[in-house]
């Protein structure tokens, strides 16, 4: 278990805290493994009735660790990222998220699998996959256009346009925007309400609301595309540019 994921288990709520604030909670393979392990055991643990995810520090999550992406690009990416995504998509118990600051890439796309999302006023969501020479993941190329429409989703994916908290709320990406100081109390209160609801009925409702087979099939198709993009020379240029703190130059790739 990595120190970069904190796990609290109390009163029927499993709280998973992304705890790598110095790196803006960028997700490493060890973090994906810990998250996947926790979600897998939560699924079958009768003591867990609701799961809450949040991040330490000033940002929810800066997406995948780009150094690890660069290092593992030719071997299929971080070993546990796809396991995390599959487990997340298959989770039957309610999932609540509390988001402050930036949520980038998978930091945003994981929210599409949450059942209740609370944003702090400073939350900014983005999914700049094309800017990184990648393609969308987590079934986001299905779920995001479905929620906010094709043209808005395309601007997020293709141009890297970021969405502020109030727009995210208006577009159906979140339930509520609250002052930063109230974020955790608000999300905790929602989780406590969910714990008191009948779990069987919650699971049945979530199952009925999510086209699980379509989501899983779409995610598998995305994974093929994503891994091909990850191994591309364009992506190596994008990762090198991030590491060197410069703008990428994609002009030499046709
Ligand atoms: N992978 C690895 N390290 C990351 C990271 C990521 N995705 N995001 C941030 N970090 C690291 C930075 O390298 C920096 O490390 P250092 O202090 O050792 O130099 C530290 O976290 C702080 O980041 P910094 O860029 O200085 O903070 P900021 O407040 O100026 O900007 C972000 C924050 C999130 C806007 C910016 O870091 C960013 O754009 N990150 C990349 C996001 C991304 O493209 N993710 C992948 C999506 S698929």
């Amino acid at each position: 278990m990595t120190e970069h994921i904190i796990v609290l288990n109390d009163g029927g709520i499993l709280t998973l805290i992304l705890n790598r604030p110095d790196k803006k909670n960028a997700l490493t393979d060890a973090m994906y493994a810990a998250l996947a392990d926790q979600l897998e055991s939560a699924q079958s643990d009768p003591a867990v009735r609701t799961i809450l995810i949040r991040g330490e520090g000033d940002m929810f999550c800066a997406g995948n660790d780009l150094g690890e992406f660069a290092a593992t690009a030719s071997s299929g990416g971080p070993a546990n990222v796809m396991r995390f995504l599959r487990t997340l998509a298959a989770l039957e118990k309610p999932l609540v998220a509390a988001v402050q600051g930036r949520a980038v890439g998978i930091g945003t796309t994981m929210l599409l699998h949450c059942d209740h999302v609370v944003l702090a006023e400073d939350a900014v969501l983005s999914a700049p996959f094309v800017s990184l020479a990648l393609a969308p993941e987590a079934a986001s190329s299905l779920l995001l256009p479905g929620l906010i429409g094709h043209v808005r989703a395309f601007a997020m994916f293709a141009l890297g346009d970021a969405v502020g908290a109030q727009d995210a709320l208006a577009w159906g990406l979140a339930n509520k925007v609250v002052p930063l100081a109230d974020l955790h109390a608000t999300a905790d209160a929602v989780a406590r309400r969910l714990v008191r609801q009948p779990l069987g009925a919650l699971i049945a409702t979530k199952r009925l609301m999510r086209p699980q087979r379509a989501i899983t099939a779409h995610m598998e198709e995305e994974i093929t595309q994503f891994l091909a993009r990850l191994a591309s020379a364009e992506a190596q240029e994008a990762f090198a540019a991030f590491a060197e703190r410069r703008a990428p130059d994609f002009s030499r790739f046709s």
Side-chain angles (χ1 to χ4, degrees):
M1 184 73 181
T2 166
E3 84 264 43
H4 292 145
I5 300 292
I6 296 174
V7 179
L8 309 174
N9 202 336
D10 186 41
I13 304 170
L14 178 76
T15 303
L16 302 175
I17 306 173
L18 312 179
N19 183 40
R20 200 185 173 213
D22 56 324
K23 298 290 182 186
K24 309 296 181 189
N25 294 327
L27 294 167
T28 61
D29 193 47
M31 292 166 78
Y32 286 124
L35 290 171
D37 289 348
Q38 290 298 324
L39 292 182
E40 276 165 15
S41 60
Q43 185 67 39
S44 55
D45 181 351
V48 175
R49 298 173 71 86
T50 290
I51 297 123
L52 172 61
I53 187 157
R54 63 179 175 87
E56 274 300 308
D58 62 352
M59 287 186 194
F60 175 66
C61 175
N64 200 102
D65 186 289
L66 289 171
E68 280 199 0
F69 256 167
T72 58
S74 58
S75 57
N80 287 287
V81 59
M82 301 311 172
R83 182 164 78 90
F84 166 66
L85 288 179
R86 290 182 179 114
T87 312
L88 180 70
L91 187 70
E92 295 204 292
K93 292 181 180 173
L95 180 59
V96 178
V99 178
Q100 81 283 17
R102 303 289 299 259
V104 188
I106 199 165
T108 283
T109 61
M110 76 167 86
L111 302 179
L112 305 172
H113 298 271
C114 293
D115 304 296
H116 197 107
V117 177
V118 184
L119 301 179
E121 285 165 343
D122 71 345
V124 176
L125 313 185
S126 62
F129 294 110
V130 171
S131 304
L132 288 161
L134 298 171
E137 34 67 324
S140 61
S141 56
L142 175 72
L143 298 172
L144 192 61
L147 267 174
I148 69 175
H150 174 85
V151 293
R152 287 170 175 158
F154 190 80
M156 288 184 74
F157 290 140
L159 299 173
D161 283 1
V163 178
Q166 290 300 342
D167 278 343
L169 179 67
W171 295 0
L173 291 167
N175 294 78
K176 212 175 205 182
V177 177
V178 298
L180 180 58
D182 298 339
L183 179 67
H184 296 320
T186 306
D188 284 347
V190 171
R192 281 198 300 275
R193 282 176 63 200
L194 285 165
V195 161
R196 291 195 294 272
Q197 294 293 73
L199 185 58
L202 279 174
I203 289 175
T205 300
K206 183 165 171 172
R207 220 180 259 156
L208 288 165
M209 288 174 70
R210 284 172 60 87
Q212 189 59 46
R213 254 176 303 185
I215 290 173
T216 306
H218 198 85
M219 191 181 281
E220 296 305 320
E221 206 176 307
E222 284 178 343
I223 288 172
T224 308
Q225 294 288 337
F226 190 91
L227 295 181
R229 290 291 96 223
L230 188 61
S232 69
E234 289 176 340
Q236 285 302 320
E237 164 60 10
F239 303 148
F242 178 74
E244 293 159 20
R245 291 187 176 264
R246 61 171 173 82
D249 174 12
F250 298 121
S251 65
R252 67 181 187 279
F253 308 111
S254 54

